[in-house]
Amino acid sequence: MEPRATEKSERPARPEIFNRHSFRNVRPLIVLLALTLSGCGEKPPQPAASGAPPVTVAQPTKRTVTDWDEFTGRFEAVEEVQVRARVGGFVTSVEFRDGAFVKTGDLLYVIDARPFEAVAEQADGQLSDARAKAELAKRELDRALTLNQTQAVSDSIVDQRRQTLQAARASEIQASGLLKAAQLNIEFTHVVAPIGGRVSRHLVSVGNLVQGSDGGSTLLTSIVSLDPIYIYFDMDEATYLKYNRLYFEGKRPSSRENPNPVQVTLTGETKPSHDGKVDFLDNRLDLSTGTLRGRAVVPNKNFSILPGQFGRVRLIGSAPYEALLLPDTAIASDQSRKIVFVVKDDDTVEARPVTLGPLDEGLRVIREGLKGEDRVIVDGLQRARPGTKVTPQAAKTTAVGGKR
C-alpha cells in the first residue's frame, strides 16, 4: 500500500525539527567536552619551590682555658673549742650573749670562788711557816759550821743541821706549789674564751653546780672560728692518678708543694662565689671508700659560711691550653653521640660528631671534631637537616659567649 500524501509530508519534517532543538541544548556540552579534551595532554601546574631556610651560624670561640675538677665538700672551722669547767662549783653568772662573737680572753662564766680563796689562804699560811722553818734551819747550820771549826761541835751535828735545812726548804717549795695551785683555781673560776670566734648558746645557767676536771668537767659552751674556714673534700683514686701523671709531665703543680687554687660554689648558687687554696692532702687513701681526703682554706670575711655547710669544690685539673668553645644550645644528641651541624662552603648542612669537655664561663669546650674556621649552626637547629641547603646568617658576638 502506498502512503498517503499527508504521511509523506510529515516524515521528513520530524528529523528537521529534532536537529534544530537538540543542537541548541547540546552546544554547551560540546564546548565543555572540547575544553576537557584539550587539557588532557598538559600536566597540572606545580607549586613554586620554597627557598633554603635561614639559620644563624658562628665560628667556635677560641681562648685559653683550664680544666677544673669538681668535688663535694663540707666546711669545718679552722679552730673549734669546747669550753669546759676546770674547777667545780656553783655558777654565779653568765657573761655572754648566745651566738655572739667573742674575743680571746673575754669573760664567759663566773664560778663561786670563795672555797678556793679559803684554800689559798691556808696554803699561804703553810708557805709562811715553811719559810720561817727554813730560815731557822739556815741559822742553826751557820752556827754549827762556826763551832765546828774549833771542834766545839762534831761533824755529825753539822750534817744533821744541813739535813734539817734541806727539809725546811723542801717544805717551803711544797707550800709554794700549794699556794700557786689554789691561786690557779681562783683564776679558773673566771671562765674566759680561749679563742676568738662565734660562741654557741650557754649550756649551764646560773645556780647550777658544775664539775671540774677532777670529776669529768662540765661542758659549758663551744666556740668556732669563722675567718678563714676549711672545706674538706674527697677525690677518687682515678683523679689522684691523673694529677700524679700531670705532675710528672710538668703540666700541673702538685697540691702538696704548691697551694693550687680552688673555687667554691655554695648550695643554691650557679657559679663559684668564693676562692681558696689547697693546704693539705692526706697521706693515704681511705680503704673503705678508695678516696683521698683534701682540704682547702677559704677566706670568710663576712662570716656568711658556717661550719657544717656543703659546697662544690672546683680544683684546677690541667695546665692552660687553647680550646674551641660553643654554647650548649648548638650541640645536639644523636643517640649516644653528641653532634653539631656545620654549614659547608656550598651552604649544605653536615652533622659533625664531637667530643665534649667541661663548661668554661658558660660555654662548652669541644675537644675533638671541630675546626676553628667551621661555621656552626647556633640557632635554627630545627630547620637544619643533613644534606639540605640553608641560608646562613652570621651571629652576633654575644651569641657565642664573648669575643673570639
Side-chain angles (χ1 to χ4, degrees), residues 35-57:
L35 293 176
T36 303
L37 294 175
S38 64
C40 290
E42 299 180 3
K43 295 182 179 179
Q46 298 292 333
S50 58
V55 294
T56 303
V57 297

Side-chain angles (χ1 to χ4, degrees), residues 40-356:
C40 290
E42 299 180 3
K43 295 182 179 179
Q46 298 292 333
S50 58
V55 294
T56 303
V57 297
Q59 292 181 342
T61 300
K62 299 179 182 179
R63 66 166 174 249
T64 302
V65 300
T66 302
D67 288 345
W68 296 79
D69 295 320
E70 193 166 292
F71 311 95
T72 299
R74 182 188 288 273
F75 289 98
E76 292 187 15
V78 174
E79 294 180 322
E80 180 176 0
V81 175
Q82 291 184 339
V83 181
R84 295 182 179 271
R86 302 181 69 174
V87 294
F90 285 95
V91 176
T92 59
S93 67
V94 180
E95 301 293 333
F96 68 93
R97 181 174 58 86
D98 292 355
F101 275 95
V102 296
K103 298 178 181 179
T104 303
D106 286 354
L107 182 62
L108 302 179
Y109 283 89
V110 177
I111 300 174
D112 187 6
R114 290 175 297 176
F116 305 103
E117 292 172 351
V119 173
E121 292 179 359
Q122 183 180 2
D124 186 51
Q126 292 176 353
L127 177 61
S128 298
D129 180 65
R131 285 174 178 172
K133 291 179 179 179
E135 182 66 23
L136 176 61
K138 184 177 183 304
R139 290 178 181 179
E140 289 181 350
L141 176 61
D142 292 342
R143 190 179 299 113
L145 289 173
T146 302
L147 295 175
N148 182 256
Q149 293 176 357
T150 60
Q151 295 299 320
V153 175
S154 63
D155 292 341
S156 62
I157 297 298
V158 173
D159 293 338
Q160 290 177 1
R161 300 286 174 84
R162 185 177 286 112
Q163 188 274 334
T164 301
L165 176 60
Q166 291 175 351
R169 287 178 174 175
S171 298
E172 181 183 357
I173 295 173
Q174 183 178 8
S176 176
L178 292 175
L179 178 60
K180 288 181 180 179
Q183 291 172 344
L184 281 176
N185 287 336
I186 295 175
E187 182 181 343
F188 292 157
T189 59
H190 289 68
V191 182
V192 298
I195 63 171
R198 189 184 294 277
V199 66
S200 181
R201 64 184 180 90
H202 67 280
L203 301 178
V204 178
S205 301
V206 174
N208 283 283
L209 178 64
V210 297
Q211 298 292 328
S213 57
D214 295 335
S217 58
T218 304
L219 179 62
L220 304 178
T221 186
S222 62
I223 304 174
V224 294
S225 64
L226 294 180
D227 182 33
I229 194 168
Y230 286 146
I231 183 168
Y232 286 87
F233 57 93
D234 297 321
M235 68 177 68
D236 57 90
E237 186 175 352
T239 302
Y240 171 70
L241 293 176
K242 181 187 76 171
Y243 290 163
N244 268 352
R245 184 179 66 255
L246 293 175
Y247 168 72
F248 288 116
E249 293 175 355
K251 298 180 179 179
R252 179 186 182 276
S254 171
S255 295
R256 297 187 188 277
E257 303 172 357
N258 187 71
N260 283 330
V262 298
Q263 297 177 348
V264 181
T265 304
L266 302 181
T267 302
E269 295 179 342
T270 57
K271 59 182 180 179
S273 58
H274 293 76
D275 296 322
K277 294 182 179 180
V278 177
D279 73 331
F280 165 75
L281 286 179
D282 211 343
N283 59 357
R284 60 176 296 173
L285 272 70
D286 190 298
L287 296 179
S288 60
T289 61
T291 57
L292 180 68
R293 175 61 57 90
R295 184 183 70 192
V297 58
V298 180
N300 188 26
K301 299 296 183 182
N302 57 359
F303 311 119
S304 60
I305 306 175
L306 295 179
Q309 282 185 234
F310 282 99
R312 299 291 296 173
V313 181
R314 299 180 68 216
L315 175 61
I316 181 173
S318 72
Y321 63 94
E322 293 292 329
L324 301 178
L325 302 97
L326 286 175
D328 273 340
T329 54
I331 302 171
S333 297
D334 181 15
Q335 295 182 353
S336 60
R337 300 187 308 167
K338 296 296 182 180
I339 60 174
V340 296
F341 292 105
V342 177
V343 179
K344 298 191 296 185
D345 295 337
D346 58 355
D347 291 343
T348 59
V349 178
E350 177 188 3
R352 187 83 57 81
V354 292
T355 302
L356 305 183

